Amino acid sequence: MLELIRHLCLLLVTISVLATDESFKQRSEILTNIVRLAHDTYDDLKTAPPSYDKLEPARIQVLLYVSSIDAVNEASMDFTVGILLHLRWTDTRIYHDKAHNLFLQSKLQSLDFDSENIKKVWVPDIFFPNEKKGSFHDIMTQNQMMRLYQGGTILYISRLSMTLSCPMDLINYPFDKQTCHILIMSFGYSDQDLVLDWMNLTTADDLTMNPDGKAIVVDSEVLLPQFEVKSVIPSFCNRRYHQKAGNHSCIQAEFHLARNIGFYIVQMYIPSMLIVMLSWISFWLTVNSVPGRVSLGLLTVLTMTTQSSSVNAALPRVSYTKAIDVWMSTCLVFVFAALLEFAVVNVLSRKESISGFSLKNVFTLPKDTDKEDGPLNMAEMTVPLDGFHEAEAQKKKRFNKRGIVYAIYVDMTARVVFPICFIIFIMSYWLYYVNAE
């Protein structure tokens, strides 16, 4: 009994396989006959758009499925995308009366073209005006398909990757928002012969994203490290192209991107803030700590210069000032001002008296003569042992202490003024650029 059941199962599987193979063979023969009959009737089946002789424009509907957005490069101002390009049009030349009868007899709703028959049918001469480089995918076979529906509607799908130009305005970088486009046009036909339209969009006024049938679909797995895709909007862009008379039908996909600020906060803003605060340690060191204060000031200035250079190394050399330039330049001014503050403090601490002090005295060399005793004799100098000049020494020491006191006052003022000014700058900077459009 078990052996009989096994034989019956094998027989059913064999019949099913043979029926499937016969069905496939039948569909392949029907498609071959339809294409052959169309070629016998129309010589321009492969070379010209539908209704080209009737002076009617062929209407091509386009749908984009964005499978990946690989990179947005500010330096070269371009972005790389991977898309599935869907084209749909009606060609009555291939859906002739005999093709209609074959569809009815076989009860088929559609026929899929093989790679050989695709080459025998006209395909729109689509190109991308802002493309820098692109390629079709052909692993393991060419990633394209064509399907013929009842009524003569043809659906063509092809997978390709492209790097497209994307001019960027970096004046608010890294708080910027960019808009990149995918432009689609016909290369050889004007709008009198070929018209492009978005699939599921009926008129040029209806440009809202239809939730039931979007003309541009972005894969839910698409994630960018620095940008967030806020919206994708289909629109139109008819324009004149090369020497042929008339405008060319053009459609474009607008990708509205907003930059994520998290990376720049961690890698740029927080380190530069810490460097500026590190320079304030100089105000808490004693006036006589000359090596420590000089080393700290020079270190912070050089560090800020290096960080500013590394930030701009990955950006194009634009002629305007970016938001990150304002931040880095201001931080550099703060650390440089801290170094200058020490220079002022050091000069004040070495003055015997603050009276009569002016900027001119800073650049005046000390004289080598004494008003009372004449020129100093550097070869013979005597030091009294009886303390005769002790009162005069105490007087000079008192004047020196007075200069140090003024230097300490400058340090104490800098401890308060520098942080307050920096906090005001931070608040003004972030309020302005975060709300900037």
Side-chain angles (χ1 to χ4, degrees), residues 34-57:
I34 289 175
V35 174
R36 179 178 54 80
L37 290 173
H39 264 286
D40 294 341
T41 306
Y42 300 96
D43 297 333
D44 59 350
L45 180 65
K46 178 178 173 57
T47 58
S51 304
Y52 186 70
D53 294 335
K54 299 179 182 179
L55 301 179
E56 294 179 3

Side-chain angles (χ1 to χ4, degrees), residues 70-303:
D70 299 327
V72 180
N73 194 328
E74 298 88 358
S76 56
M77 290 197 177
D78 55 30
F79 71 112
T80 303
V81 293
I83 63 172
L84 289 174
L85 177 65
H86 297 65
L87 303 176
R88 187 173 65 189
W89 69 96
T90 300
D91 194 342
T92 56
R93 297 172 300 181
I94 196 171
Y95 194 77
H96 41 73
D97 293 337
K98 293 183 179 179
H100 178 68
N101 294 332
L102 288 173
F103 266 93
L104 293 179
Q105 292 174 4
S106 58
K107 297 181 180 180
L108 295 174
Q109 298 296 324
S110 63
L111 284 173
D112 291 334
F113 283 68
D114 54 59
S115 58
E116 292 299 324
N117 283 317
I118 289 178
K119 301 176 182 178
K120 301 177 182 179
V121 181
W122 178 82
V123 176
D125 58 338
I126 296 298
F127 87 111
F128 304 88
N130 61 330
E131 174 199 355
K132 289 186 175 181
K133 59 181 179 179
S135 62
F136 289 93
H137 291 259
D138 54 2
I139 301 175
M140 297 179 51
T141 59
Q142 290 187 352
N143 295 173
Q144 60 179 358
M145 65 152 290
M146 182 179 286
R147 182 173 295 165
L148 174 64
Y149 293 92
Q150 287 189 17
T153 300
I154 298 177
L155 176 65
Y156 175 81
I157 303 176
S158 180
R159 180 170 175 247
L160 60 155
S161 295
M162 297 181 297
T163 299
L164 302 121
S165 174
C166 179
M168 301 181 187
D169 183 7
L170 301 174
I171 193 169
N172 292 326
Y173 177 88
F175 302 92
D176 55 327
K177 297 178 182 179
Q178 304 296 340
T179 301
C180 297
H181 302 85
I182 298 179
L183 301 178
I184 304 175
M185 290 177 57
S186 169
F187 188 81
Y189 297 100
S190 67
D191 54 4
Q192 297 178 357
D193 302 322
L194 189 146
V195 175
L196 296 175
D197 193 5
W198 287 109
M199 200 177 295
N200 304 313
L201 295 177
T202 56
T203 63
D205 297 328
D206 184 14
L207 298 180
T208 58
M209 297 301 290
N210 185 0
D212 298 329
K214 297 179 180 179
I216 305 173
V217 181
V218 180
D219 193 284
S220 58
E221 299 296 327
V222 171
L223 293 175
L224 291 170
Q226 294 190 31
F227 285 92
E228 180 182 353
V229 181
K230 290 295 185 180
S231 62
V232 183
I233 301 176
S235 59
F236 296 86
C237 55
N238 290 352
R239 59 176 63 184
R240 184 176 295 274
Y241 181 70
H242 64 71
Q243 76 280 0
K244 187 170 181 179
N247 295 328
H248 281 233
S249 179
C250 172
I251 58 176
Q252 64 180 2
E254 300 179 2
F255 293 82
H256 294 270
L257 309 174
R259 193 182 299 274
N260 296 322
I261 195 65
F263 169 81
Y264 301 93
I265 292 177
V266 175
Q267 298 294 328
M268 296 182 185
Y269 287 101
I270 291 180
S272 57
M273 290 172 60
L274 294 178
I275 293 171
V276 173
M277 289 187 286
L278 180 65
S279 67
W280 299 341
I281 297 178
S282 173
F283 307 148
W284 297 87
L285 299 179
T286 61
V287 177
N288 297 326
S289 301
V290 176
R293 297 186 70 161
V294 170
S295 300
L296 185 61
L298 292 176
L299 177 65
T300 52
V301 170
L302 293 176
T303 305

Side-chain angles (χ1 to χ4, degrees), residues 340-369:
L340 289 181
E341 186 271 348
F342 167 67
V344 173
V345 166
N346 185 262
V347 171
L348 290 177
S349 66
R350 289 187 288 107
K351 285 297 175 181
E352 295 182 356
S353 174
I354 200 65
S355 59
F357 176 74
S358 64
L359 186 62
K360 180 180 179 181
N361 295 335
V362 176
F363 303 99
T364 303
L365 294 175
K367 296 181 179 180
D368 292 337
T369 59

Side-chain angles (χ1 to χ4, degrees), residues 281-412:
I281 297 178
S282 173
F283 307 148
W284 297 87
L285 299 179
T286 61
V287 177
N288 297 326
S289 301
V290 176
R293 297 186 70 161
V294 170
S295 300
L296 185 61
L298 292 176
L299 177 65
T300 52
V301 170
L302 293 176
T303 305
M304 278 305 309
T305 304
T306 303
Q307 189 178 27
S308 178
S309 300
S310 64
V311 168
N312 288 306
L315 297 174
R317 297 178 180 178
V318 294
S319 59
Y320 49 83
T321 302
K322 303 180 290 294
I324 194 66
D325 295 334
V326 175
W327 175 269
M328 290 296 178
S329 300
T330 306
C331 290
L332 181 60
V333 168
F334 269 95
V335 296
F336 187 72
L339 183 60
L340 289 181
E341 186 271 348
F342 167 67
V344 173
V345 166
N346 185 262
V347 171
L348 290 177
S349 66
R350 289 187 288 107
K351 285 297 175 181
E352 295 182 356
S353 174
I354 200 65
S355 59
F357 176 74
S358 64
L359 186 62
K360 180 180 179 181
N361 295 335
V362 176
F363 303 99
T364 303
L365 294 175
K367 296 181 179 180
D368 292 337
T369 59
D370 192 288
K371 293 183 179 179
E372 298 179 357
D373 300 333
L376 293 176
N377 187 354
M378 301 303 294
E380 297 182 3
M381 292 186 65
T382 58
V383 178
L385 300 177
D386 54 356
F388 177 75
H389 296 288
E390 183 177 352
E392 185 178 354
Q394 291 293 334
K395 183 178 180 180
K396 290 184 178 181
K397 185 177 182 181
R398 185 167 62 251
F399 282 125
N400 284 334
K401 285 184 177 181
R402 189 177 178 184
I404 293 177
V405 168
Y406 278 96
I408 293 175
Y409 284 158
V410 173
D411 272 344
M412 293 176 63

